[in-house]
Amino acid sequence: MNTTIIRNIGCGLLLLGATACADYLEKEAFDIITPEQVWKDPKLINGVMVNLYDNMNLEDFNYWQRDAWRLQNASSMSDEAQGSFQKDPMFDNGNATYTYEDALFEQKFSDRYKFIRNCNDFISQLEEATSLSDSEKKLLLAESRFIRAFHYFTMVKRYGGVPLITEPQVYDPNNLEALMVPRDKEVDIYNFIVKESQEAAQDLPETRGADAKYRANKYVALALCSRAALYAGSIARYGTVQLDGLVGIPSSEADRFFQISYDASKAIINSGQYTLYNKKPDNKAQNYCDMFLKGNGDNGEYIFQKQYNVAGGKGHDWDKRNAPFSYRAGGWGCGIAPTLEMVETYEYIDGSEGTLKLEENGKPVRYDKPYDVFTNKDPRLFASVYMPGSPCQTTEIEWMRGIIVSDNERYPATSQPDGGNTVEVNGVTYSTSGKDGGADAGDASKTGFYQKKFWDETLTDMNMGKSETPWPVFRLGEFYLNLAEAAMELNNSSEALEAVNKIRERAGIALLSSINMEKVRHERRVELAFEGHRFWDMKRWRIAHLDAKQGGLNGFRGTALYPWHDIRDDKYVFERGYNSPKQLRIFLEKNYYTKINQDDMNSNPNLIQNPGFTN
């Protein structure tokens, strides 16, 4: 989605300043424009639409809980990864515990309803726009309804039922009560999202021209329908109804929502408008990697994407914040560190379980190079994670825990790589770490891994705001998996198996001969890793509160992989690092919903707080 900044201040003045990002907005400067002028000029009307897109919360590269340096995003808050820096609140002090925050990833009503109000204003005034044809109005109306539904989805997955406001509210100091709308039931919000996205899909075109290719089309709306309905079905099946339905969905609604998700996913797949990216079938790892690189968003698989443009002041910081230690070019970097649990989720290409082969007959397996331990793993691992020995630019990732001198003598790394990790043995000086890490101290990865997916090895300007890799809001791979999950929930295992095997075939891994829900969820975890799904999936499946050994987040810290260099025979052996310098996590059942912000509660006494939280 190409975006440009065009601020809409309620129904009032518009300040327009076009940038190079807006392919579909004529580029010229404007003075202050009045609403009356806007609705007489199709160019200005489309400028308002650009602003509506720009205010969507797409949870992209720049989406962090509070400050970005805290490294709390949807990956590090799930079991996919840790944050590397030793920073508060959950990535320091390994002797402490971290209880998931009441307001984690909150979307304050005072913020989100401002953008919903803008949608409502646009919809209500669109009919009076004499400068537009009926077909143009119909298209803009469908777009604005899709955007509004997306806003409600970002809220319902956090809070459950929220106030459903579909008409512009008018401020009347003598009747403030009219503005204090109570919460609707969670099922009603999901019903609204489904209805709006389905009806928007009917009026949106199947394809867009070059001037509007990043705006919503029919299948973008159906993608929202598929995802939202799948969430609703899961909550109905695995959740609990509380507060008379303000949170939770009756179990009797599960099949209906799963069928809606299945139908929307099927329509997207059968449309033929999108294909699973497979331009390098002979190099599956590179093929999968390429799909997520800069300039490759128009790859045939992305249904809806967020584009970035550095020249227009709309770049992002992902590469700077996440570069492996020795590739940082002057600080920051190291950000999201995948866990060993995530690495071992990737199977071997023959379909066997993905636990790394570290021991044999009770003795450590000795490898010539650290990278050898990953031989024959799922190609998607090599495309998604930098491991010890992974090629990167013109060198390799080096992460080493220390050296072995004898059975009873080891020297571990004690500081970050630039801290002088050396030891002299028999007159020879050895490094006890790699150039990209090995110790529990400092900013480098503590797990032995860095996130590769989305990282641009060709980037030469390693400063903030210089990245242009697009963010995949919706891509076809998700909808094969949505279809598979919905099909399994509807007892249609044969179609679920077919859909999952389409994903595995593209990935270059052995096809399954049978299917169950565990295998569907496993495939989703691998295929969509680091794309912002896992945290929300764990919540909607109601597994996050389980013990880590049961697949939940309680007691989860994240395990590391420790390569040791045995200087006696120049081989490498590995250990599992269970005592990471990270806090032990506690996810409580109340954390399936987010606490409503106190300012929002104070401004509307008709709101009821979510279960487990006090006002």
Side-chain angles (χ1 to χ4, degrees):
M1 178 184 64
N2 274 1
T3 57
T4 189
I5 301 287
I6 302 177
R7 294 288 172 225
N8 182 352
I9 307 174
C11 301
L13 301 181
L14 293 171
L15 297 175
L16 287 88
T19 75
C21 281
D23 294 338
Y24 53 93
L25 184 62
E26 185 175 319
K27 301 172 181 63
E28 61 180 80
F30 295 92
D31 295 321
I32 292 178
I33 308 296
T34 66
E36 292 77 14
Q37 289 173 291
V38 168
W39 293 105
K40 294 177 182 178
D41 188 336
K43 180 177 59 179
L44 297 182
I45 294 171
N46 274 279
V48 177
M49 176 57 69
V50 173
N51 186 57
L52 297 184
Y53 276 108
D54 193 54
N55 287 321
M56 295 172 69
N57 176 22
L58 301 178
E59 300 178 25
D60 58 359
F61 296 108
N62 293 323
Y63 188 69
W64 306 91
Q65 163 73 354
R66 295 185 296 186
D67 303 311
W69 60 263
R70 296 176 184 271
L71 296 175
Q72 291 178 274
N73 69 2
S75 288
S76 65
M77 301 308 290
S78 74
D79 53 3
E80 289 180 336
Q82 303 172 348
S84 293
F85 298 160
Q86 299 303 289
K87 298 292 185 181
D88 151 272
M90 69 176 296
F91 299 128
D92 68 343
N93 192 359
N95 295 320
T97 57
Y98 167 80
T99 301
Y100 277 74
E101 297 165 71
D102 294 347
L104 183 65
F105 298 136
E106 72 174 353
Q107 290 286 299
K108 294 181 181 178
F109 288 12
S110 56
D111 293 333
R112 195 51 45 193
Y113 277 101
K114 175 176 64 178
F115 304 132
I116 291 174
R117 182 184 69 231
N118 289 347
C119 291
N120 288 337
D121 288 342
F122 186 86
I123 290 169
S124 68
Q125 296 181 62
L126 183 61
E127 185 60 33
E128 306 303 320
T130 58
S131 62
L132 298 175
S133 67
D134 289 343
S135 61
E136 290 172 324
K137 290 180 183 179
K138 185 178 182 180
L139 176 58
L140 289 170
L141 177 61
E143 281 185 276
S144 53
R145 291 177 69 185
F146 158 74
I147 293 171
R148 183 175 62 181
F150 198 101
H151 284 304
Y152 274 108
F153 178 62
T154 67
M155 297 184 72
V156 72
K157 72 178 185 178
R158 289 166 166 80
Y159 298 103
V162 295
L164 182 56
I165 302 172
T166 60
E167 301 288 340
Q169 291 182 295
V170 178
Y171 174 75
D172 180 355
N174 297 316
N175 186 18
L176 295 179
E177 185 68 24
L179 302 177
M180 300 176 184
V181 181
R183 296 174 66 180
D184 284 79
K185 293 183 177 182
E186 183 168 1
V187 67
D188 293 333
I189 302 301
Y190 275 108
N191 282 334
F192 174 78
I193 296 166
V194 166
K195 175 178 179 292
E196 291 291 285
S197 57
Q198 287 177 332
E199 293 183 2
Q202 293 176 7
D203 292 335
L204 287 166
E206 291 203 1
T207 60
R208 291 281 202 168
D211 62 335
K213 64 181 179 179
Y214 300 126
R215 292 169 71 163
N217 63 24
K218 173 180 180 177
Y219 300 107
V220 172
L222 288 178
L224 174 60
C225 179
S226 167
R227 187 185 291 178
L230 190 68
Y231 277 46
S234 300
I235 292 166
R237 182 136 294 162
Y238 304 109
T240 303
V241 176
Q242 301 177 73
L243 301 180
D244 195 29
L246 293 185
V247 296
I249 298 174
S251 59
S252 59
E253 296 278 22
D255 281 356
R256 178 174 70 88
F257 279 116
F258 285 131
Q259 188 66 52
I260 291 169
S261 180
Y262 170 90
D263 290 341
S265 301
K266 190 81 168 177
I268 294 168
I269 293 168
N270 288 347
S271 72
Q273 297 293 329
Y274 307 96
T275 57
L276 293 176
Y277 184 82
N278 201 24
K279 294 185 178 181
K280 294 182 179 177
D282 296 330
N283 188 340
K284 293 296 190 181
Q286 192 60 52
N287 181 76
Y288 187 78
C289 181
D290 286 352
M291 177 166 52
F292 303 102
L293 297 183
K294 172 186 172 181
N296 209 15
D298 301 330
N299 53 37
E301 178 158 342
Y302 281 17
I303 299 169
F304 194 48
Q305 59 182 289
K306 182 169 183 179
Q307 283 279 327
Y308 300 85
N309 183 286
V310 171
K314 298 291 285 185
H316 61 81
D317 306 332
W318 182 258
D319 298 275
K320 181 62 174 176
R321 294 188 183 279
N322 289 278
F325 188 89
S326 68
Y327 302 84
R328 299 183 303 163
W332 293 94
C334 301
I336 301 302
T339 60
L340 179 58
E341 287 87 348
M342 186 66 224
V343 169
E344 293 192 318
T345 299
Y346 293 85
E347 301 165 63
Y348 287 89
I349 57 175
D350 63 2
S352 58
E353 189 263 336
T355 302
L356 296 175
K357 298 173 176 60
L358 306 185
E359 291 187 351
E360 192 171 61
N361 298 322
K363 295 183 179 180
V365 178
R366 309 181 75 78
Y367 290 94
D368 292 333
K369 297 179 180 179
Y371 203 46
D372 293 345
V373 73
F374 308 105
T375 299
N376 292 327
K377 289 280 278 183
D378 184 333
R380 289 172 293 187
L381 172 63
F382 301 96
S384 303
V385 178
Y386 283 122
M387 298 159 288
S390 290
C392 181
Q393 294 179 345
T394 59
T395 58
E396 295 178 352
I397 301 295
E398 296 177 3
W399 201 100
M400 186 174 68
R401 188 63 172 175
I403 65 168
I404 299 174
V405 176
S406 69
D407 290 346
N408 300 312
E409 189 176 7
R410 294 188 175 197
Y411 294 94
T414 57
S415 67
Q416 68 181 31
D418 57 2
N421 292 308
T422 60
V423 63
E424 185 175 309
V425 179
N426 297 328
V428 179
T429 299
Y430 294 90
S431 173
T432 58
S433 81
K435 63 183 176 64
D436 297 300
D440 286 342
D443 292 340
S445 168
K446 310 303 179 298
T447 66
F449 307 107
Y450 290 97
Q451 183 177 325
K452 180 176 180 179
K453 185 182 276 189
F454 301 119
W455 201 71
D456 182 6
E457 292 188 14
T458 70
L459 193 66
T460 56
D461 187 346
M462 289 296 292
N463 287 305
M464 295 294 185
K466 299 300 183 180
S467 299
E468 294 185 325
T469 306
W471 178 257
V473 182
F474 300 126
R475 67 177 177 92
L476 185 62
E478 175 191 347
F479 299 96
Y480 274 103
L481 296 168
N482 286 5
L483 184 147
E485 184 178 337
M488 282 300 300
E489 295 283 8
L490 295 168
N491 299 313
N492 182 357
S493 60
S494 61
E495 199 158 2
L497 177 62
E498 181 182 359
V500 168
N501 275 339
K502 288 286 188 182
I503 296 294
R504 292 174 71 89
E505 181 180 28
R506 187 268 297 274
I509 189 169
L511 303 186
L512 299 176
S513 59
S514 63
I515 195 76
N516 57 32
M517 186 59 76
E518 181 182 356
K519 291 179 180 178
V520 171
R521 291 183 178 183
H522 179 275
E523 199 64 36
R524 184 180 183 89
R525 183 179 180 185
V526 170
E527 174 67 21
L528 302 179
F530 312 115
E531 295 178 46
H533 294 274
R534 177 67 177 170
F535 176 78
W536 301 105
D537 286 344
M538 296 182 80
K539 292 186 74 171
R540 67 182 175 89
W541 293 330
R542 297 301 193 256
I543 64 171
H545 75 285
L546 300 177
D547 186 82
K549 294 179 180 178
Q550 298 174 294
L553 290 171
N554 255 329
F556 184 79
R557 176 180 276 131
T559 304
L561 181 67
Y562 293 158
W564 288 87
H565 182 205
D566 193 329
I567 63 173
R568 292 173 296 182
D569 60 0
D570 197 26
K571 300 287 187 181
Y572 290 85
V573 296
F574 294 85
E575 291 179 343
R576 298 177 185 276
Y578 294 109
N579 296 314
S580 166
K582 306 295 178 183
Q583 296 187 26
L584 207 65
R585 307 186 194 185
I586 299 175
F587 188 102
L588 304 175
E589 290 194 61
K590 71 175 183 177
N591 297 129
Y592 285 121
Y593 293 98
T594 301
K595 181 179 181 180
I596 300 174
N597 186 273
Q598 192 60 52
D599 289 342
D600 292 328
M601 294 293 295
N602 292 341
S603 67
N604 183 356
N606 290 326
L607 293 178
I608 296 174
Q609 184 59 270
N610 273 331
F613 303 113
T614 57
N615 291 344

mmCIF file of all heavy atoms in Angstrom, residues 207-241:
data_model
loop_
_atom_site.group_PDB
_atom_site.id
_atom_site.type_symbol
_atom_site.label_atom_id
_atom_site.label_comp_id
_atom_site.label_asym_id
_atom_site.label_seq_id
_atom_site.Cartn_x
_atom_site.Cartn_y
_atom_site.Cartn_z
ATOM 1 N N THR A 207 -8.862 -6.402 -9.802
ATOM 2 C CA THR A 207 -7.485 -5.939 -9.978
ATOM 3 C C THR A 207 -7.469 -4.423 -10.001
ATOM 4 O O THR A 207 -8.503 -3.783 -10.232
ATOM 5 C CB THR A 207 -6.867 -6.487 -11.278
ATOM 6 O OG1 THR A 207 -7.649 -6.024 -12.397
ATOM 7 C CG2 THR A 207 -6.835 -8.002 -11.274
ATOM 8 N N ARG A 208 -6.303 -3.872 -9.825
ATOM 9 C CA ARG A 208 -6.118 -2.418 -9.851
ATOM 10 C C ARG A 208 -5.106 -2.069 -10.930
ATOM 11 O O ARG A 208 -4.175 -2.843 -11.216
ATOM 12 C CB ARG A 208 -5.594 -1.925 -8.506
ATOM 13 C CG ARG A 208 -6.597 -2.019 -7.363
ATOM 14 C CD ARG A 208 -7.581 -0.880 -7.410
ATOM 15 N NE ARG A 208 -8.203 -0.645 -6.108
ATOM 16 C CZ ARG A 208 -8.933 0.427 -5.816
ATOM 17 N NH1 ARG A 208 -9.124 1.370 -6.734
ATOM 18 N NH2 ARG A 208 -9.461 0.571 -4.625
ATOM 19 N N GLY A 209 -5.257 -0.890 -11.486
ATOM 20 C CA GLY A 209 -4.280 -0.388 -12.431
ATOM 21 C C GLY A 209 -3.017 0.047 -11.726
ATOM 22 O O GLY A 209 -2.945 0.101 -10.486
ATOM 23 N N ALA A 210 -2.014 0.391 -12.513
ATOM 24 C CA ALA A 210 -0.707 0.754 -11.958
ATOM 25 C C ALA A 210 -0.786 1.950 -11.022
ATOM 26 O O ALA A 210 -0.026 2.045 -10.059
ATOM 27 C CB ALA A 210 0.275 1.039 -13.084
ATOM 28 N N ASP A 211 -1.739 2.859 -11.268
ATOM 29 C CA ASP A 211 -1.822 4.064 -10.447
ATOM 30 C C ASP A 211 -2.459 3.797 -9.084
ATOM 31 O O ASP A 211 -2.427 4.661 -8.209
ATOM 32 C CB ASP A 211 -2.606 5.152 -11.188
ATOM 33 C CG ASP A 211 -4.034 4.739 -11.476
ATOM 34 O OD1 ASP A 211 -4.293 3.517 -11.558
ATOM 35 O OD2 ASP A 211 -4.893 5.629 -11.647
ATOM 36 N N ALA A 212 -3.062 2.627 -8.877
ATOM 37 C CA ALA A 212 -3.721 2.324 -7.607
ATOM 38 C C ALA A 212 -3.470 0.884 -7.165
ATOM 39 O O ALA A 212 -4.266 0.309 -6.440
ATOM 40 C CB ALA A 212 -5.222 2.591 -7.741
ATOM 41 N N LYS A 213 -2.345 0.329 -7.571
ATOM 42 C CA LYS A 213 -2.126 -1.093 -7.336
ATOM 43 C C LYS A 213 -1.935 -1.437 -5.862
ATOM 44 O O LYS A 213 -2.024 -2.620 -5.487
ATOM 45 C CB LYS A 213 -0.942 -1.596 -8.142
ATOM 46 C CG LYS A 213 0.400 -0.981 -7.769
ATOM 47 C CD LYS A 213 1.509 -1.552 -8.669
ATOM 48 C CE LYS A 213 2.859 -0.955 -8.364
ATOM 49 N NZ LYS A 213 3.918 -1.523 -9.228
ATOM 50 N N TYR A 214 -1.671 -0.461 -5.000
ATOM 51 C CA TYR A 214 -1.497 -0.747 -3.585
ATOM 52 C C TYR A 214 -2.736 -0.407 -2.766
ATOM 53 O O TYR A 214 -2.689 -0.428 -1.531
ATOM 54 C CB TYR A 214 -0.271 0.000 -3.040
ATOM 55 C CG TYR A 214 1.005 -0.397 -3.748
ATOM 56 C CD1 TYR A 214 1.828 0.555 -4.330
ATOM 57 C CD2 TYR A 214 1.364 -1.736 -3.861
ATOM 58 C CE1 TYR A 214 2.991 0.184 -4.987
ATOM 59 C CE2 TYR A 214 2.524 -2.113 -4.519
ATOM 60 C CZ TYR A 214 3.333 -1.149 -5.085
ATOM 61 O OH TYR A 214 4.480 -1.525 -5.742
ATOM 62 N N ARG A 215 -3.832 -0.096 -3.454
ATOM 63 C CA ARG A 215 -5.100 0.122 -2.763
ATOM 64 C C ARG A 215 -5.884 -1.186 -2.720
ATOM 65 O O ARG A 215 -5.586 -2.143 -3.433
ATOM 66 C CB ARG A 215 -5.884 1.237 -3.449
ATOM 67 C CG ARG A 215 -5.218 2.591 -3.296
ATOM 68 C CD ARG A 215 -5.809 3.659 -4.172
ATOM 69 N NE ARG A 215 -7.137 4.088 -3.762
ATOM 70 C CZ ARG A 215 -7.706 5.217 -4.183
ATOM 71 N NH1 ARG A 215 -7.059 6.025 -5.022
ATOM 72 N NH2 ARG A 215 -8.913 5.556 -3.775
ATOM 73 N N ALA A 216 -6.888 -1.231 -1.879
ATOM 74 C CA ALA A 216 -7.651 -2.461 -1.675
ATOM 75 C C ALA A 216 -8.398 -2.863 -2.938
ATOM 76 O O ALA A 216 -8.949 -2.018 -3.648
ATOM 77 C CB ALA A 216 -8.632 -2.277 -0.526
ATOM 78 N N ASN A 217 -8.419 -4.160 -3.198
ATOM 79 C CA ASN A 217 -9.271 -4.716 -4.232
ATOM 80 C C ASN A 217 -10.198 -5.750 -3.591
ATOM 81 O O ASN A 217 -10.246 -5.884 -2.356
ATOM 82 C CB ASN A 217 -8.445 -5.316 -5.374
ATOM 83 C CG ASN A 217 -7.580 -6.491 -4.942
ATOM 84 O OD1 ASN A 217 -7.864 -7.174 -3.956
ATOM 85 N ND2 ASN A 217 -6.502 -6.735 -5.667
ATOM 86 N N LYS A 218 -10.910 -6.467 -4.399
ATOM 87 C CA LYS A 218 -11.874 -7.453 -3.894
ATOM 88 C C LYS A 218 -11.217 -8.446 -2.941
ATOM 89 O O LYS A 218 -11.776 -8.780 -1.877
ATOM 90 C CB LYS A 218 -12.492 -8.186 -5.084
ATOM 91 C CG LYS A 218 -13.396 -9.349 -4.704
ATOM 92 C CD LYS A 218 -13.979 -10.024 -5.946
ATOM 93 C CE LYS A 218 -14.896 -11.187 -5.551
ATOM 94 N NZ LYS A 218 -15.530 -11.803 -6.743
ATOM 95 N N TYR A 219 -10.034 -8.917 -3.307
ATOM 96 C CA TYR A 219 -9.421 -9.999 -2.541
ATOM 97 C C TYR A 219 -8.736 -9.501 -1.269
ATOM 98 O O TYR A 219 -8.551 -10.276 -0.321
ATOM 99 C CB TYR A 219 -8.467 -10.774 -3.455
ATOM 100 C CG TYR A 219 -9.227 -11.342 -4.631
ATOM 101 C CD1 TYR A 219 -9.085 -10.796 -5.909
ATOM 102 C CD2 TYR A 219 -10.159 -12.351 -4.452
ATOM 103 C CE1 TYR A 219 -9.827 -11.276 -6.981
ATOM 104 C CE2 TYR A 219 -10.915 -12.837 -5.514
ATOM 105 C CZ TYR A 219 -10.738 -12.291 -6.768
ATOM 106 O OH TYR A 219 -11.490 -12.761 -7.822
ATOM 107 N N VAL A 220 -8.404 -8.231 -1.230
ATOM 108 C CA VAL A 220 -7.925 -7.640 0.016
ATOM 109 C C VAL A 220 -9.046 -7.657 1.049
ATOM 110 O O VAL A 220 -8.843 -8.023 2.215
ATOM 111 C CB VAL A 220 -7.409 -6.207 -0.220
ATOM 112 C CG1 VAL A 220 -7.098 -5.522 1.098
ATOM 113 C CG2 VAL A 220 -6.168 -6.234 -1.111
ATOM 114 N N ALA A 221 -10.243 -7.269 0.631
ATOM 115 C CA ALA A 221 -11.389 -7.289 1.539
ATOM 116 C C ALA A 221 -11.708 -8.715 1.977
ATOM 117 O O ALA A 221 -12.011 -8.967 3.157
ATOM 118 C CB ALA A 221 -12.599 -6.643 0.872
ATOM 119 N N LEU A 222 -11.644 -9.671 1.055
ATOM 120 C CA LEU A 222 -11.895 -11.067 1.413
ATOM 121 C C LEU A 222 -10.808 -11.609 2.334
ATOM 122 O O LEU A 222 -11.064 -12.480 3.176
ATOM 123 C CB LEU A 222 -12.008 -11.926 0.160
ATOM 124 C CG LEU A 222 -13.277 -11.749 -0.673
ATOM 125 C CD1 LEU A 222 -13.238 -12.624 -1.915
ATOM 126 C CD2 LEU A 222 -14.533 -12.048 0.153
ATOM 127 N N ALA A 223 -9.584 -11.100 2.190
ATOM 128 C CA ALA A 223 -8.500 -11.521 3.080
ATOM 129 C C ALA A 223 -8.797 -11.100 4.512
ATOM 130 O O ALA A 223 -8.589 -11.872 5.461
ATOM 131 C CB ALA A 223 -7.173 -10.928 2.606
ATOM 132 N N LEU A 224 -9.270 -9.873 4.704
ATOM 133 C CA LEU A 224 -9.667 -9.436 6.037
ATOM 134 C C LEU A 224 -10.800 -10.309 6.561
ATOM 135 O O LEU A 224 -10.799 -10.712 7.733
ATOM 136 C CB LEU A 224 -10.093 -7.972 6.014
ATOM 137 C CG LEU A 224 -10.667 -7.422 7.324
ATOM 138 C CD1 LEU A 224 -9.647 -7.533 8.460
ATOM 139 C CD2 LEU A 224 -11.136 -5.983 7.153
ATOM 140 N N CYS A 225 -11.751 -10.620 5.707
ATOM 141 C CA CYS A 225 -12.867 -11.477 6.098
ATOM 142 C C CYS A 225 -12.362 -12.840 6.558
ATOM 143 O O CYS A 225 -12.777 -13.361 7.607
ATOM 144 C CB CYS A 225 -13.830 -11.625 4.923
ATOM 145 S SG CYS A 225 -15.244 -12.692 5.253
ATOM 146 N N SER A 226 -11.458 -13.433 5.793
ATOM 147 C CA SER A 226 -10.920 -14.744 6.129
ATOM 148 C C SER A 226 -10.210 -14.724 7.476
ATOM 149 O O SER A 226 -10.442 -15.590 8.330
ATOM 150 C CB SER A 226 -9.944 -15.197 5.039
ATOM 151 O OG SER A 226 -9.186 -16.316 5.456
ATOM 152 N N ARG A 227 -9.339 -13.748 7.676
ATOM 153 C CA ARG A 227 -8.564 -13.700 8.915
ATOM 154 C C ARG A 227 -9.461 -13.434 10.115
ATOM 155 O O ARG A 227 -9.350 -14.101 11.152
ATOM 156 C CB ARG A 227 -7.470 -12.645 8.821
ATOM 157 C CG ARG A 227 -6.525 -12.650 10.012
ATOM 158 C CD ARG A 227 -5.507 -11.510 9.953
ATOM 159 N NE ARG A 227 -4.526 -11.686 8.887
ATOM 160 C CZ ARG A 227 -3.571 -10.794 8.625
ATOM 161 N NH1 ARG A 227 -3.498 -9.654 9.334
ATOM 162 N NH2 ARG A 227 -2.695 -11.016 7.655
ATOM 163 N N ALA A 228 -10.340 -12.457 9.998
ATOM 164 C CA ALA A 228 -11.205 -12.101 11.124
ATOM 165 C C ALA A 228 -12.131 -13.255 11.489
ATOM 166 O O ALA A 228 -12.329 -13.566 12.676
ATOM 167 C CB ALA A 228 -12.008 -10.851 10.786
ATOM 168 N N ALA A 229 -12.723 -13.902 10.500
ATOM 169 C CA ALA A 229 -13.634 -15.011 10.777
ATOM 170 C C ALA A 229 -12.896 -16.193 11.403
ATOM 171 O O ALA A 229 -13.443 -16.896 12.265
ATOM 172 C CB ALA A 229 -14.350 -15.437 9.499
ATOM 173 N N LEU A 230 -11.652 -16.428 10.987
ATOM 174 C CA LEU A 230 -10.868 -17.504 11.591
ATOM 175 C C LEU A 230 -10.607 -17.212 13.058
ATOM 176 O O LEU A 230 -10.713 -18.101 13.911
ATOM 177 C CB LEU A 230 -9.546 -17.658 10.838
ATOM 178 C CG LEU A 230 -8.710 -18.896 11.207
ATOM 179 C CD1 LEU A 230 -9.399 -20.170 10.744
ATOM 180 C CD2 LEU A 230 -7.314 -18.802 10.600
ATOM 181 N N TYR A 231 -10.257 -15.962 13.370
ATOM 182 C CA TYR A 231 -10.070 -15.570 14.769
ATOM 183 C C TYR A 231 -11.351 -15.804 15.554
ATOM 184 O O TYR A 231 -11.335 -16.358 16.665
ATOM 185 C CB TYR A 231 -9.675 -14.089 14.855
ATOM 186 C CG TYR A 231 -8.210 -13.789 14.658
ATOM 187 C CD1 TYR A 231 -7.482 -14.362 13.626
ATOM 188 C CD2 TYR A 231 -7.542 -12.898 15.486
ATOM 189 C CE1 TYR A 231 -6.143 -14.070 13.429
ATOM 190 C CE2 TYR A 231 -6.201 -12.594 15.309
ATOM 191 C CZ TYR A 231 -5.501 -13.188 14.275
ATOM 192 O OH TYR A 231 -4.167 -12.891 14.090
ATOM 193 N N ALA A 232 -12.474 -15.356 15.002
ATOM 194 C CA ALA A 232 -13.752 -15.480 15.706
ATOM 195 C C ALA A 232 -14.100 -16.939 15.946
ATOM 196 O O ALA A 232 -14.571 -17.313 17.029
ATOM 197 C CB ALA A 232 -14.851 -14.784 14.909
ATOM 198 N N GLY A 233 -13.882 -17.790 14.940
ATOM 199 C CA GLY A 233 -14.162 -19.207 15.105
ATOM 200 C C GLY A 233 -13.329 -19.830 16.209
ATOM 201 O O GLY A 233 -13.824 -20.624 17.020
ATOM 202 N N SER A 234 -12.051 -19.470 16.266
ATOM 203 C CA SER A 234 -11.164 -20.003 17.305
ATOM 204 C C SER A 234 -11.617 -19.564 18.686
ATOM 205 O O SER A 234 -11.621 -20.356 19.636
ATOM 206 C CB SER A 234 -9.723 -19.539 17.065
ATOM 207 O OG SER A 234 -9.244 -19.985 15.823
ATOM 208 N N ILE A 235 -11.974 -18.294 18.814
ATOM 209 C CA ILE A 235 -12.400 -17.778 20.114
ATOM 210 C C ILE A 235 -13.690 -18.461 20.557
ATOM 211 O O ILE A 235 -13.882 -18.778 21.737
ATOM 212 C CB ILE A 235 -12.555 -16.256 20.037
ATOM 213 C CG1 ILE A 235 -11.176 -15.606 19.840
ATOM 214 C CG2 ILE A 235 -13.229 -15.693 21.284
ATOM 215 C CD1 ILE A 235 -11.219 -14.161 19.409
ATOM 216 N N ALA A 236 -14.584 -18.716 19.600
ATOM 217 C CA ALA A 236 -15.822 -19.425 19.925
ATOM 218 C C ALA A 236 -15.536 -20.860 20.374
ATOM 219 O O ALA A 236 -16.166 -21.375 21.300
ATOM 220 C CB ALA A 236 -16.760 -19.426 18.721
ATOM 221 N N ARG A 237 -14.571 -21.509 19.729
ATOM 222 C CA ARG A 237 -14.291 -22.910 20.040
ATOM 223 C C ARG A 237 -13.455 -23.077 21.295
ATOM 224 O O ARG A 237 -13.659 -24.027 22.060
ATOM 225 C CB ARG A 237 -13.589 -23.564 18.857
ATOM 226 C CG ARG A 237 -13.283 -25.053 19.046
ATOM 227 C CD ARG A 237 -13.618 -25.837 17.807
ATOM 228 N NE ARG A 237 -15.038 -25.849 17.515
ATOM 229 C CZ ARG A 237 -15.550 -26.174 16.324
ATOM 230 N NH1 ARG A 237 -14.751 -26.485 15.325
ATOM 231 N NH2 ARG A 237 -16.855 -26.171 16.137
ATOM 232 N N TYR A 238 -12.511 -22.168 21.528
ATOM 233 C CA TYR A 238 -11.543 -22.391 22.600
ATOM 234 C C TYR A 238 -11.648 -21.377 23.744
ATOM 235 O O TYR A 238 -11.011 -21.582 24.788
ATOM 236 C CB TYR A 238 -10.120 -22.370 22.033
ATOM 237 C CG TYR A 238 -9.933 -23.367 20.920
ATOM 238 C CD1 TYR A 238 -9.782 -22.959 19.596
ATOM 239 C CD2 TYR A 238 -9.942 -24.735 21.171
ATOM 240 C CE1 TYR A 238 -9.628 -23.870 18.558
ATOM 241 C CE2 TYR A 238 -9.789 -25.657 20.155
ATOM 242 C CZ TYR A 238 -9.635 -25.220 18.842
ATOM 243 O OH TYR A 238 -9.499 -26.133 17.825
ATOM 244 N N GLY A 239 -12.408 -20.321 23.557
ATOM 245 C CA GLY A 239 -12.513 -19.290 24.578
ATOM 246 C C GLY A 239 -13.707 -19.486 25.486
ATOM 247 O O GLY A 239 -14.440 -20.482 25.410
ATOM 248 N N THR A 240 -13.911 -18.515 26.358
ATOM 249 C CA THR A 240 -15.006 -18.533 27.330
ATOM 250 C C THR A 240 -15.776 -17.228 27.235
ATOM 251 O O THR A 240 -15.167 -16.153 27.162
ATOM 252 C CB THR A 240 -14.463 -18.700 28.763
ATOM 253 O OG1 THR A 240 -13.690 -19.897 28.837
ATOM 254 C CG2 THR A 240 -15.601 -18.775 29.775
ATOM 255 N N VAL A 241 -17.090 -17.304 27.251
ATOM 256 C CA VAL A 241 -17.922 -16.106 27.220
ATOM 257 C C VAL A 241 -17.972 -15.498 28.613
ATOM 258 O O VAL A 241 -18.266 -16.179 29.599
ATOM 259 C CB VAL A 241 -19.342 -16.439 26.723
ATOM 260 C CG1 VAL A 241 -20.229 -15.199 26.791
ATOM 261 C CG2 VAL A 241 -19.297 -16.994 25.298
#
